[in-house]
Amino acid sequence: MTDASPSALTVARGVRTVSVAEYLARRLHEAGIDHLFGVPGDFNLTLLDGIAETGLLKWIGSPNELGAGYAADAYARRRGLAALVTTYGVGELSCLNAVAGSAAENVPVLQITGAPRTTAAAARALVHHTLADGDFSRFERAFAEVTVAQEVLTPEHAAAQIDAVIGTVVAAKKPGYLSIPADLADARIDAEPLRTPLLPARADAFDTAAFEGAARRLLATAQRPVMVVGHIAARFRLAPGITALAEAGAIPVVVLPSAKGHIDETHPLYAGVYAGTLIDQATADLVESADAVIHLGVVMSDVLSGLFTHRPFDAVSIKVDAEEAGVGDETFGLIPFPEALRALRRAVDGTSTTLARSFARKPDVPLSPVAGAPLDQAGFWSAMQRWLPAGTTLLADIGTSYWGALSLTLPPGTELVGQPIWNSIGYALPATLGQGLADRTRRPVLVTGDGAAQMTIQEIGTIAAQGLSPVMILLNNAGYTIERAIQSPDAPYNDIAPWDWCALVTALTAGSASTFRVGTPAELEEALAAAESQPATLTFIDVVLDRHDAPPLLRALTERS
């Protein structure tokens, strides 16, 4: 997150009031946001006009609200916060799935709804975008199920409500909800709160002594410690601190699938991906035999835990979450994640024992396909292992794409973005838009299935319109291969309509994309080389694969489930 922006502080000096729209724009910009995702509608137009007048946020309009929500999710993973604007009812419900996914995956997205006028709500008027029953709180109640803070703005408390929701979203790494009635968007409110930073500098008031002491006592006698890193740690972008902690104690580090790429996979202390016994028996043995396990931002859902084959939290576990830390069965109250990590570093520095152990590293994906073999999943991922550039972001949709990506050894500076808890197919393509806008120095690489892409393909038009040039790879296997692997492989409900993907992408990008259709290892190598040679061009590669072929990790998952 950024510090309070000078523009936010300057506007308050000599200015007694600002509009609600301007106040919101300045607070979002102060929190590190440069873009605003969404779809316009009659109830949010005054709000959007007011935000546009500030010149602080660039509007990123999507073909539908679901795609905008997925894009905002990826943007927030990189920037620490994202904002999504929709209209009341039809618009906000269209993105509810995306916001729920952000809740499941601990992503700080602010859903902003342009709502009917306060007079309409007070009169219980039967206006459009409602169920015509006079109930104007129905959708707020729906969002209360998937957000950590909700406010319907009032003229008396609008500034405080905005500040409270944004602050809670950033601290908890969960979505929040703001409903702004159309007649309040241009209402004038006191500008004085803008003189106080929205996100104050770190305070040292948190009492970490008890937690630090308990951690030191456990680690002082440990000879086989290990760190398990999950996606909540990735949301706080704490890789440097985690790496320093590992180096200070010579502690090996494993990551859950949801945090793959957050820790440099070429580091000597990186020990692999841990999902119980599902992915790598070596990492499972490492964790199982540990006499101290430091869990950093870990959520053990069914997929992440290897269908609950993980080692459960026990008496020698240290656990750090977004706002809580504990050792064994004891918790130590409100301790923000960064503070708890600093306390752990002091605890390790205070031990007299060298916390070192040996471990076996999982071998890389084979570097070359079998000579003369047709292109299959194994050959595709081998080619990706050789080609994938350092310093990028690999986005993979759930299914064959994600489970194939987990087998890669990522080059330095490359992260994996996916949705292994919420598992909503179609996420990764719009997420490519959000990731690309959040950090234009990193060229996104997308791998998605044809079934997933049919859900959100129209977002390619937005990606092209924003001048982004990702490498977009489609695994074209005629349907839902992950569902085929789970059950009834030849059932008609797993088939999808065949599309001419290259022609479609050409149409959606107004001819600006470079497209390839490949069916052999040699053709794939040529397409990847072409993509690398034209970094300023959106490159789309249609990879034709057998409908029943799946990566080994996906087969292992489906066999167990």
Side-chain angles (χ1 to χ4, degrees):
M1 303 302 299
T2 60
D3 294 331
S5 66
S7 61
L9 301 179
T10 301
V11 71
R13 296 191 178 101
V15 178
R16 301 187 62 180
T17 65
V18 293
S19 70
V20 167
E22 181 177 351
Y23 189 97
L24 175 62
R26 292 193 176 279
R27 284 309 203 192
L28 293 176
H29 185 66
E30 180 185 340
I33 290 178
D34 296 320
H35 301 84
L36 195 63
F37 299 89
V39 177
D42 54 349
F43 291 138
N44 66 28
L45 297 181
T46 301
L47 175 67
L48 294 179
D49 283 343
I51 291 174
E53 289 174 1
T54 70
L56 296 174
L57 305 176
K58 182 179 179 181
W59 172 252
I60 308 296
S62 285
N64 62 54
E65 292 85 358
L66 179 62
Y70 288 152
D73 179 287
Y75 188 93
R77 292 181 188 219
R78 191 73 192 168
R79 288 290 187 95
L81 183 67
L84 170 67
V85 179
T86 69
T87 198
Y88 181 81
V90 295
E92 58 187 339
L93 292 183
S94 289
C95 71
L96 182 57
N97 176 39
V99 175
S102 297
E105 304 267 339
N106 295 85
V107 183
V109 172
L110 179 62
Q111 161 64 29
I112 303 167
T113 294
R117 299 174 66 86
T118 54
T119 51
R124 297 176 60 86
L126 306 187
V127 300
H128 63 286
H129 294 343
T130 74
L131 300 190
D133 61 358
D135 184 352
F136 284 82
S137 64
R138 187 184 307 278
F139 307 130
E140 176 196 358
R141 298 197 301 271
F143 273 90
E145 296 292 330
V146 296
T147 56
V148 292
Q150 314 83 37
E151 292 285 350
V152 178
L153 295 198
T154 65
E156 299 83 7
H157 305 292
Q161 290 173 303
I162 290 170
D163 290 357
V165 172
I166 295 176
T168 301
V169 166
V170 171
K173 303 302 179 191
K174 292 273 192 177
Y177 177 83
L178 281 177
S179 179
I180 304 179
D183 54 327
L184 292 190
D186 57 359
R188 307 298 294 184
I189 60 174
D190 187 4
E192 182 64 23
L194 289 174
R195 299 187 63 180
T196 302
L198 171 65
L199 304 173
R202 180 175 72 90
D204 294 316
F206 298 102
D207 184 6
T208 61
F211 168 65
E212 181 181 331
R216 180 180 290 109
R217 288 189 293 274
L218 173 60
L219 295 173
T221 59
Q223 296 298 313
R224 301 181 308 280
V226 67
M227 277 197 286
V228 182
V229 177
H231 68 275
I232 300 176
R235 299 296 175 267
F236 282 89
R237 310 211 59 86
L238 294 175
I242 293 171
T243 302
L245 174 63
E247 292 171 345
I251 306 172
V253 181
V254 299
V255 300
L256 297 190
S258 57
K260 182 173 174 62
H262 186 59
I263 303 299
D264 181 0
E265 298 191 3
T266 64
H267 193 283
L269 289 170
Y270 175 75
V273 177
Y274 175 62
T277 60
L278 179 65
I279 290 180
D280 184 3
Q281 188 61 48
T283 62
D285 293 342
L286 188 69
V287 174
E288 192 63 34
S289 62
D291 56 3
V293 183
I294 304 172
H295 297 93
L296 299 177
V298 166
V299 174
M300 288 298 187
S301 67
D302 55 351
V303 172
L304 300 184
S305 67
L307 300 177
F308 307 115
T309 60
H310 68 295
R311 174 177 173 170
F313 304 122
D314 54 30
V316 295
S317 294
I318 298 172
K319 186 177 181 181
V320 178
D321 288 325
E323 297 181 287
E324 187 176 80
V327 178
D329 294 330
E330 189 175 6
T331 58
F332 298 93
L334 176 62
I335 303 178
F337 206 134
E339 297 295 328
L341 187 62
R342 281 185 275 267
L344 282 176
R345 175 62 189 273
R346 293 192 297 269
V348 168
D349 287 343
T351 61
S352 58
T353 306
T354 300
L355 307 178
R357 64 187 305 193
S358 61
F359 56 90
R361 298 192 56 155
K362 184 179 179 182
D364 291 345
V365 173
L367 291 182
S368 60
V370 177
L375 184 60
D376 57 10
Q377 290 276 350
F380 170 77
W381 291 108
S382 294
M384 288 295 290
Q385 181 69 78
R386 295 192 301 276
W387 171 81
L388 188 64
T392 189
T393 298
L394 174 63
L395 301 103
D397 226 304
I398 205 65
T400 56
S401 303
Y402 188 78
W403 288 95
L406 285 179
S407 67
L408 300 176
T409 297
L410 299 180
T414 295
E415 294 185 359
L416 174 64
V417 172
Q419 214 186 36
I421 298 178
W422 189 239
N423 271 230
S424 184
I425 69 170
Y427 163 81
L429 197 154
T432 303
L433 169 65
Q435 167 62 39
L437 291 172
D439 185 354
R440 284 185 176 268
T441 67
R442 300 166 67 89
R443 188 186 192 189
V445 175
L446 167 72
V447 183
T448 186
D450 51 355
Q454 285 197 0
M455 298 218 173
T456 51
I457 186 66
Q458 61 268 53
E459 210 65 59
I460 286 184
T462 316
I463 291 170
Q466 292 302 320
L468 299 176
S469 56
V471 179
M472 311 184 79
I473 302 171
L474 180 97
L475 303 185
N476 186 347
N477 46 22
Y480 305 123
T481 296
I482 186 171
E483 310 294 359
R484 298 189 199 280
I486 293 172
Q487 182 173 314
S488 304
D490 294 312
Y493 51 71
N494 286 324
D495 299 334
I496 62 172
W499 288 5
D500 185 338
W501 289 99
C502 290
L504 179 61
V505 170
T506 298
L508 290 173
T509 62
S512 64
S514 179
T515 64
F516 300 85
R517 180 177 171 86
V518 305
T520 68
E523 290 172 343
L524 175 62
E525 298 278 2
E526 291 174 5
L528 291 173
E532 189 169 9
S533 69
Q534 47 190 22
T537 301
L538 190 158
T539 302
F540 180 86
I541 305 174
D542 179 6
V543 180
V544 181
L545 298 167
D546 184 84
R547 68 206 304 256
H548 295 298
D549 190 21
L553 287 181
L554 179 57
R555 292 196 179 279
L557 173 68
T558 55
E559 286 169 4
R560 292 200 186 191
S561 63

